[in-house]
Amino acid sequence: MHDDENQATPGEPSPLLRKVLARLGQQVLEHRAWRGDDRIHVDRRQIVEVCLALRDDPELCFDLLVDVTAVDYMGQPDGFRRPVEIWDRNRAMVRRGPLSRHQVAMPERGPLPRFAVVYHLLSTRFFHRLRLKCRVPEDDPTLPTVTTVWPGANWLERETYDLYGIRFQGHPDLRRIYLDESFVGHPLRKDYGKRDEQPVQPLHGPAANEPRRPH
Amino acid sequence: MPVGELHARPMRINFGPSHPATHGTVRIVLDLDGEKILNADVQVGYLHRGFEKECESGHYYQNIPYTDRLNYSSAMLNNVGYCLAVEKLFGIKTPPRCEFIRVIAGEIARITDHMLCVGAMGLELAAMTPFLYLLEGRELALDLLDALCGARITTNYIRVGGVWADLPEGFAPFCRERLDRIAGLVDDAHRMLTDNPIFRQRLEGTGYLPAEELIAYGVTGPLLRAGGVALDLRRVQPYLVYGELDFDVPVGEHSDNYDRYLVRLEEIRQSRRMVLQCLERIPDGPVNADDPRIRWPRKGKVFNRMEELIDQFKLVTEGDLAPAGEVYAAVEGANGEVGFYIVSDGSGRPYKCRCRAPSFSNMQPLARMITGRMLADIVPTFDLINMIGGECDR
């Protein structure tokens, strides 16, 4: 199996990645083009200036924020590069990681932070796409908000906060969006069991007619 | 809280979560000054079922039925989007006949979705007759989906690397006959609604938001095209065989509810055009990709031969082993860009399967569209956003 993303030869950056690299320079920590998708990694402290540059550059013009989400790489300190086994708390599933063919020499680097926040961008002028990733550590799951760049990031970041517990600093209204405020934990984290149950919260009484928090 | 012109205390009311004038489970907490909306807080999440969590414990092929339940008024388009993402991850090229069948199925699903959206909006604006006409047309289109896969709503028809089965015998004449009747019903609804003065007064100028702001909110689909931005993935990033088809992308200019209605009505006609072209041009050949990683052996061979038995056993127990990596693939759904972001760790199950739902992004500017307007404007604005709870809340 030679077409794994981590093992395929990086090759020449795509024309779009070349433009992005020329614009952002040292701010891009890593870049890769695989299966026609272009992806760059940036430092989470620089996310706002990177997004502003990507949005306002006349040759890039990423004016539409398609999606914000996160990935939980729990127990995968160096990506998917060695066999791993994860059991969830209820033994509901066994996840077998890549087999020994993945044990190839990779450039050594320290353990990666647990979370990655992923932004998908689209340009409505040139119709090209870019995926932006920021690693976020488990002990400090915070990141500056990009609602100042795209107001549409508001709900998407609320969803990421709700399901992954990543806090977006400077967000105007960071409350849960799907789950109730009384919900404990963040269900899309890998250590939240699929069959974990929580007590149903009553929605009666005078509080039911009020927003969950003053807006 | 701003004080209104009547110098009365603003009233707080709940619009939803279950309101007779909306189709979709959403709660809008409104602060009203008379009938004017001072403040709106849109709360979604009443239909959250944990789609992404569920996908992480299913094999790639086992997750296709879950995608039916995202946008359940055009399930085919979700099937197509998910399968294209998985195929992109595997690096599979599907045969041409399969791509034509997918376009046919997807465009029929788009017709049903738009007809339901326009018809239900008419109903909620007290126009009962066009609703009946459009729902009759929707039933005719659902019969076509029924002929394809045996199900009307939750189709589960598209497979990774192909489709469940080839077109049934005599599908082309049946489809043409049904599409002609649908076109007649759409024209009837158009004659009843488009120039109706009451209908126009409810729609013209309401729900206005300029195109720049729609883009900033991440809005896609008919909502954005009604604002004059011709962003249609079938045209600008052609997938399947859309690049070979001859169709128009309708755009509006006023970015209000009336243009959104016109764009949806025109898209029904364009979808019909595409299906007719596909029926003309569809080539013969296999409908499934012949790739050993995802191909299911025939049942007769599984019972009688060892290799196929092992093959089947491996597919059932381990799933189709994907290369490790991550992909994002998007299709033009009925309400906008339906995207799937799949992260694979090399096993038979997605490590993460994220659905980018157009309803979710399109619902976000609703508060901006209705604030400062009248209470009655919520109904057409909300209906033409066409928020589908299953997709918005996942």
Side-chain angles (χ1 to χ4, degrees):
Chain A
M1 203 73 81
H2 295 293
D3 57 351
D4 281 13
E5 181 168 15
N6 291 323
Q7 289 175 41
T9 45
E12 285 291 297
S14 65
L16 171 66
L17 275 182
R18 265 202 290 275
K19 273 187 215 166
V20 171
L21 289 172
R23 178 69 184 78
L24 295 176
Q26 293 300 311
Q27 286 171 312
V28 178
L29 304 177
E30 191 186 325
H31 62 85
R32 184 168 280 269
W34 190 67
R35 296 272 195 258
D37 285 3
D38 297 317
R39 160 161 72 96
I40 60 170
H41 289 235
V42 297
D43 192 297
R44 61 177 167 144
R45 282 161 297 193
Q46 295 177 326
I47 183 71
V48 175
E49 37 182 314
V50 165
C51 286
L52 275 175
L54 291 172
R55 185 193 70 178
D56 293 335
D57 188 278
E59 287 197 13
L60 299 172
C61 188
F62 284 106
D63 48 0
L64 200 148
L65 176 67
V66 175
D67 196 18
V68 178
T69 186
V71 186
D72 181 358
Y73 292 99
M74 191 183 85
Q76 320 262 355
D78 45 359
F80 300 121
R81 283 171 194 154
R82 59 191 177 80
V84 286
E85 205 160 325
I86 297 177
W87 290 73
D88 80 352
R89 270 193 259 157
N90 298 313
R91 299 285 191 269
M93 70 179 180
V94 192
R95 182 180 297 286
R96 274 230 301 279
L99 307 174
S100 56
R101 62 171 186 263
H102 296 260
Q103 289 172 312
V104 290
M106 292 299 297
E108 279 302 319
R109 53 180 183 186
L112 289 168
R114 174 172 169 187
F115 296 104
V117 176
V118 188
Y119 303 81
H120 285 97
L121 313 180
L122 172 70
S123 162
T124 59
R125 190 184 299 165
F126 306 110
F127 309 118
H128 48 217
R129 290 175 187 276
L130 184 68
R131 183 181 313 136
L132 200 60
K133 283 182 92 168
C134 292
R135 284 287 189 161
V136 177
E138 182 177 5
D139 50 1
D140 176 31
T142 57
L143 193 72
T145 177
V146 295
T147 44
T148 47
V149 188
W150 299 283
N154 188 327
W155 280 21
L156 294 164
E157 290 183 345
R158 276 177 67 188
E159 187 191 353
T160 309
Y161 160 67
D162 190 359
L163 303 179
Y164 283 96
I166 291 166
R167 300 192 148 268
F168 292 88
Q169 292 160 331
H171 191 285
D173 182 24
L174 194 65
R175 50 186 168 138
R176 286 183 180 268
I177 193 161
Y178 288 148
L179 307 172
D180 196 79
E181 289 291 342
S182 59
F183 193 91
V184 180
H186 302 283
L188 276 187
R189 290 189 172 191
K190 290 285 179 190
D191 50 5
Y192 192 93
K194 202 180 90 179
R195 287 158 208 243
D196 283 6
E197 287 188 11
Q198 301 206 3
V200 177
Q201 296 297 319
L203 250 186
H204 301 295
N209 282 338
E210 295 296 319
R212 290 169 193 164
R213 218 184 271 170
H215 55 274
Chain B
M1 194 174 290
V3 177
E5 293 153 10
L6 290 175
H7 304 293
R9 277 182 59 207
M11 192 191 340
R12 171 163 290 169
I13 66 160
N14 265 317
F15 193 88
S18 180
H19 192 278
T22 63
H23 57 280
T25 318
V26 65
R27 179 187 187 206
I28 309 173
V29 181
L30 298 166
D31 289 324
L32 293 178
D33 174 33
E35 280 195 79
K36 200 171 151 212
I37 298 162
L38 298 178
N39 217 331
D41 180 28
V42 181
Q43 296 179 357
V44 297
Y46 288 89
L47 225 53
H48 181 62
R49 297 143 301 167
F51 166 78
E52 292 171 32
K53 191 78 178 173
E54 197 66 43
C55 280
E56 288 173 9
S57 54
H59 295 313
Y60 284 100
Y61 60 85
Q62 288 174 328
N63 293 334
I64 301 171
Y66 297 141
T67 65
D68 288 340
R69 277 84 179 162
L70 290 170
N71 182 346
Y72 35 72
S73 52
S74 55
M76 282 287 189
L77 291 164
N78 306 325
N79 289 174
V80 173
Y82 175 77
C83 289
L84 282 177
V86 177
E87 284 156 17
K88 188 172 176 182
L89 176 67
F90 277 87
I92 295 170
K93 180 90 183 91
T94 45
R97 185 172 175 85
C98 159
E99 303 203 341
F100 275 92
I101 294 177
R102 286 178 176 190
V103 171
I104 292 172
E107 292 308 317
I108 293 172
R110 193 185 313 276
I111 290 174
T112 64
D113 193 299
H114 284 347
M115 287 185 121
L116 182 67
C117 169
V118 174
M121 177 203 57
L123 179 73
E124 281 144 21
L125 299 179
M128 184 84 181
T129 318
F131 171 74
L132 296 175
Y133 278 64
L134 287 167
L135 265 274
E136 187 191 338
R138 179 171 174 265
E139 284 301 318
L140 296 174
L142 289 178
D143 283 349
L144 292 172
L145 296 184
D146 193 4
L148 278 180
C149 61
R152 295 162 69 248
I153 310 285
T154 48
T155 50
N156 188 19
Y157 176 58
I158 314 293
R159 292 287 186 274
V160 175
V163 293
W164 168 68
D166 204 342
L167 296 179
E169 193 101 347
F171 183 77
F174 179 55
C175 189
R176 286 195 191 95
E177 185 256 340
R178 285 295 160 100
L179 287 175
D180 286 346
R181 283 169 66 190
I182 290 169
L185 289 163
V186 171
D187 287 343
D188 286 344
H190 159 74
R191 274 194 289 276
M192 278 183 273
L193 288 175
T194 307
D195 289 324
N196 183 324
I198 302 172
F199 183 75
R200 288 185 72 146
Q201 277 174 11
R202 292 291 299 272
L203 262 60
E204 273 177 335
T206 58
Y208 169 77
L209 209 60
E212 306 80 58
E213 217 166 316
L214 291 175
I215 291 174
Y217 274 108
V219 171
T220 50
L223 209 60
L224 182 61
R225 290 197 283 277
V229 182
L231 177 68
D232 187 329
L233 297 184
R234 293 171 290 175
R235 173 60 53 83
V236 302
Q237 291 179 340
Y239 51 95
L240 297 176
V241 290
Y242 284 111
E244 304 167 24
L245 300 178
D246 177 27
F247 64 100
D248 299 325
V249 178
V251 291
E253 46 182 321
H254 301 107
S255 199
D256 62 353
N257 284 334
Y258 191 62
D259 280 12
R260 290 168 198 161
Y261 155 76
L262 290 177
V263 164
R264 282 202 191 256
L265 214 57
E266 185 56 34
E267 284 195 5
I268 298 177
R269 302 193 178 106
Q270 297 301 328
S271 292
R272 171 172 175 267
R273 263 178 81 187
M274 281 182 241
V275 176
L276 291 177
Q277 288 173 44
C278 286
L279 291 174
E280 283 297 317
R281 297 190 201 169
I282 185 165
D284 288 331
V287 293
N288 280 301
D290 189 25
D291 189 306
R293 288 173 296 170
I294 50 122
R295 180 190 53 202
W296 284 69
R298 298 233 319 271
K299 210 65 179 172
K301 288 191 173 169
V302 173
F303 288 143
N304 294 307
R305 291 170 58 91
M306 190 176 74
E307 288 78 11
E308 273 81 2
L309 178 67
I310 294 172
D311 217 8
Q312 161 105 3
F313 181 77
K314 286 288 206 187
L315 277 172
V316 171
T317 54
E318 288 189 347
D320 18 22
L321 295 177
E326 54 184 57
V327 292
Y328 177 85
V331 298
E332 184 70 29
N335 295 324
E337 176 175 329
V338 181
F340 286 89
Y341 170 56
I342 296 180
V343 180
S344 158
D345 61 355
S347 67
R349 300 181 168 96
Y351 189 75
K352 176 184 173 62
C353 174
R354 157 84 177 169
C355 170
R356 189 270 176 196
S359 286
F360 186 72
S361 291
N362 292 2
M363 271 301 277
Q364 207 176 160
L366 176 66
R368 288 275 296 122
M369 289 177 189
I370 58 177
T371 307
R373 313 298 299 244
M374 304 299 274
L375 176 63
D377 292 349
I378 296 179
V379 176
T381 309
F382 176 76
D383 286 351
L384 280 163
I385 288 176
N386 196 22
M387 178 254 197
I388 306 288
E391 181 184 59
C392 180
D393 300 343
R394 283 159 296 198

